[in-house]
Amino acid sequence: MAYSGNSTMPTEYASKLGHLPIVKDEFVSKLIKDFESFSLEDETTDVLGYENFIEEKETSILSIISVDGSCSHIVNPIINKKSVSFIKVATLMISLHQLQKAQATIVDPKLINEIISKYADTISTVLPLNNVRIKELTPLETIRKVINATLKERNAMLYDTLKFLVFRQWDGNSMPITEFECPVCHETNAIVGEFDEFNCSNSNCESKVYLSDYISLHQQFDEEYTNESLAMSFMQVIEHLLFMSYLRILYQEKKNRLSQIMLMKDGPLALHAQYSRLVSPIRDFIQHLKDSDIKAYIVGIEKSGPFFDHAEILNRRLKQTGSILIPDNKYIFSNIKHGDSNTTSYGERVLYGSKLFVKIDNNNVVVATIPTGNYCKNPKVNDLYGLEDIVNMLLKLKSKQYANALLPIVAVNKLASMSVYPTNNILQKFFEKNINSETV
């Protein structure tokens, strides 16, 4: 590993001739010769028994709300390697009428400006990563305080959704008992009823524990590293909380409009590692909607990864526009992921929906996640919540800008994204101008 630079010495760069020993190594050459090359022409995926067709029909959906986020990591190389991450999550609401105009061959720029100015919103925050903290607080305490302030003080809608999920507020008869691990001493606390904060039950600790600690972002914090992955995780948590906030608000205040709006997220409906503890209440809420016969349309769209790669293969296999393929556990571990379908249940802990492939035209297949409520190891058509209406909408949303692209996702991505240049230069100057010189 190379040496990093500082204010007086340069960074050590990799050798331009470092590859030569590998090229000359006979053992490496022999291994490569033993590898089997692969091309799409060789792929023999059998879709028999998995392919279904969704008939075209009119839906009650009138608008789409799409959600996406981005992170920009800023490092000050001069002042003790201080670093922070700016987080931005964007929302865009667009009607079918506006979409039809935006899909025209010639698009009026005024229309785009109107959509962005009137029907878009963003949530922003900043997370300290390395050698930055609030005065008189430890780095861990700083992280926890910033997360709590971001959710509770700055974005009450997200905090209310966190409470709604953790305490299962849709069930008026429940008396929640919530287990919390203290972020300081790691004592497990069992709390009855709703709360915003409490003091740890360990008499040797008694640290203040926030409701926002339920997300467990603090478990990913490491004082030895820059914690860029923690910032990405926080961004993803905000995305899911914002996504579910619209569902919660419509459910609580405008149930009659739930069937008129489709919620669309950039990325799968999944939370990994310790953040998966939010998956269980999300599944339970969606199952409650299904049991109550309340129509709602929720979908996540993948733009990369093994399922996205597999979509290219299926583009040759699925017969016509409107064809779908819902992979079961065996199909996933036989054709997409590595693992044993007899001992592993794909997504059992982390997904709050099931994956499917949708052929939106002759050349494009979209990878989507649609909720099932309770976990389904081998989902069928009837298990996916609002499947027919969602597929019919996806067929109307295709974008000609990119492969397998949907217009609301393309649009919200442009709102959320922060390019490395010039964004990082601007944010770095903003960071350096505003940071307290006494910050450690």
Side-chain angles (χ1 to χ4, degrees), residues 396-409:
K396 298 177 182 179
L397 301 179
K398 58 189 176 187
S399 168
K400 298 177 181 178
Q401 284 187 268
Y402 309 103
N404 308 323
L406 301 172
L407 199 148
I409 296 296

Side-chain angles (χ1 to χ4, degrees), residues 297-317:
Y297 305 109
I298 306 155
V299 62
I301 302 297
E302 293 185 45
K303 301 187 300 186
S304 61
F307 282 84
F308 183 82
D309 295 338
H310 191 68
E312 187 174 354
I313 295 170
L314 291 182
N315 192 34
R316 300 162 178 259
R317 304 285 187 268

Side-chain angles (χ1 to χ4, degrees), residues 65-78:
I65 295 176
S66 51
V67 176
D68 189 20
S70 66
C71 267
S72 187
H73 307 299
I74 307 300
V75 178
N76 186 324
I78 298 177

Side-chain angles (χ1 to χ4, degrees), residues 65-208:
I65 295 176
S66 51
V67 176
D68 189 20
S70 66
C71 267
S72 187
H73 307 299
I74 307 300
V75 178
N76 186 324
I78 298 177
I79 311 175
N80 298 326
K81 292 288 185 182
K82 295 179 187 292
S83 62
V84 298
S85 183
F86 290 90
I87 297 171
K88 177 183 174 186
V89 178
T91 304
L92 178 67
M93 181 172 179
I94 186 167
S95 70
L96 283 183
H97 178 65
Q98 291 167 326
L99 271 170
Q100 289 170 355
K101 289 184 177 179
Q103 288 173 317
T105 305
I106 301 176
V107 180
D108 185 352
K110 291 182 180 178
L111 172 66
I112 304 301
N113 290 334
E114 178 187 357
I115 293 172
I116 292 175
S117 61
K118 290 186 178 180
Y119 304 104
D121 196 10
T122 58
I123 288 175
S124 302
T125 190
V126 59
L127 201 63
L129 300 181
N130 190 46
N131 292 322
V132 178
R133 70 186 189 195
I134 297 172
K135 193 174 182 181
E136 298 181 357
L137 295 183
T138 66
L140 176 59
E141 290 170 339
T142 298
I143 288 281
R144 292 178 55 226
K145 185 162 185 175
V146 169
I147 290 169
N148 190 60
T150 297
L151 297 179
K152 185 179 180 182
E153 299 172 17
R154 184 68 180 87
N155 302 287
M157 179 174 70
L158 302 183
Y159 190 77
D160 289 345
T161 298
L162 180 62
K163 294 183 74 170
F164 180 81
L165 293 171
V166 172
F167 303 128
R168 288 167 165 77
Q169 291 178 349
W170 61 89
D171 184 358
N173 299 319
S174 69
M175 178 56 70
I177 300 176
T178 311
E179 289 194 350
F180 261 70
E181 179 185 89
C182 174
V184 179
C185 73
H186 307 295
E187 177 87 6
T188 298
N189 297 262
I191 310 299
V192 179
E194 298 186 12
F195 61 88
D196 290 310
E197 58 186 50
F198 64 89
N199 291 327
C200 177
S201 59
N202 183 350
S203 58
N204 295 320
C205 177
E206 297 185 343
S207 297
K208 185 177 290 186

Side-chain angles (χ1 to χ4, degrees), residues 329-330 333 338-346 348 375 377:
N329 203 57
K330 182 178 179 180
F333 285 111
H338 295 292
D340 184 352
S341 61
N342 295 317
T343 59
T344 306
S345 298
Y346 178 76
E348 183 176 19
Y375 173 71
K377 182 176 181 179

